[in-house]
Amino acid sequence: MRAVVQRVSRASVSVDGKIISSISGGLLVFLGVAKDDTETDAKYLADKTAHLRIFEDDTGKMNLSVSDIEGEILVVSQFTLYGDCRKGRRPSFITAARPLEATALYETYVSILNDAGLRTKTGIFQAHMDIELLNDGPVTILLDSKKTF
């Protein structure tokens, strides 16, 4: 699994012009699932997301997690994180999971965050979504459950 994690002051997801989810301060997570991912990958990435210390403490150091600041998390599915652009000009998505498998692991990831007591909201899986965000910092972190980067 891959995630692009952004520290945000606010973020929202709209479908067909209607806001379906929004958060104030916290994390916006774009989540991609690979075809060889398992529940272990979801658990690893959810734990990493929940405890990632990218919020500033009183001294200005990035020392606090989203749970420490009692922030919210907005999780948006994004299979394009597995777009391979090394050949040609059109991305290949052959390593991305099929929708049925991806949905299950996406929901597992969200459930783990919820079970950890984090206020987690979502987009709509496979929908065309408009995402609005105010990146705080900017702070953007890339995570990969296979630890390739």
Side-chain angles (χ1 to χ4, degrees):
M1 291 181 103
R2 290 183 179 163
V4 174
V5 179
Q6 296 188 317
R7 187 177 77 186
V8 296
S9 298
R10 68 176 182 270
S12 65
V13 168
S14 298
V15 175
D16 296 328
K18 297 177 185 171
I19 295 176
I20 59 159
S21 290
S22 65
I23 63 168
S24 49
L27 299 176
L28 171 61
V29 178
F30 294 104
L31 186 70
V33 181
K35 62 183 174 184
D36 63 343
D37 284 338
T38 65
E39 200 169 296
T40 301
D41 295 285
K43 288 177 183 174
Y44 169 83
L45 214 56
D47 183 66
K48 186 66 89 170
T49 303
H51 297 99
L52 194 61
R53 298 184 329 175
I54 60 172
F55 293 91
E56 295 176 358
D57 64 15
D58 293 338
T59 65
K61 282 186 115 168
M62 281 198 237
N63 238 351
L64 303 174
S65 69
V66 68
S67 56
D68 293 330
I69 66 152
E70 298 181 1
E72 298 175 285
I73 302 176
L74 176 58
V75 183
V76 176
S77 64
Q78 190 170 355
F79 80 97
T80 59
L81 293 179
Y82 281 96
D84 185 347
C85 299
R86 291 177 288 184
K87 289 186 177 180
R89 295 189 174 139
R90 184 167 39 122
S92 168
F93 299 103
I94 60 170
T95 59
R98 293 182 181 259
L100 189 61
E101 292 83 13
T103 301
L105 288 175
Y106 170 85
E107 289 173 355
T108 297
Y109 173 86
V110 171
S111 291
I112 293 167
L113 293 174
N114 280 326
D115 292 346
L118 295 163
R119 293 176 295 167
T120 307
K121 297 182 180 177
T122 63
I124 296 177
F125 199 88
Q126 285 192 290
H128 181 91
M129 296 174 275
D130 293 319
I131 313 298
E132 255 186 69
L133 67 122
L134 182 58
N135 193 312
D136 178 18
V139 174
T140 302
I141 305 292
L142 304 175
L143 300 176
D144 184 278
S145 64
K146 306 292 192 237
K147 303 173 190 166
T148 58
F149 52 79

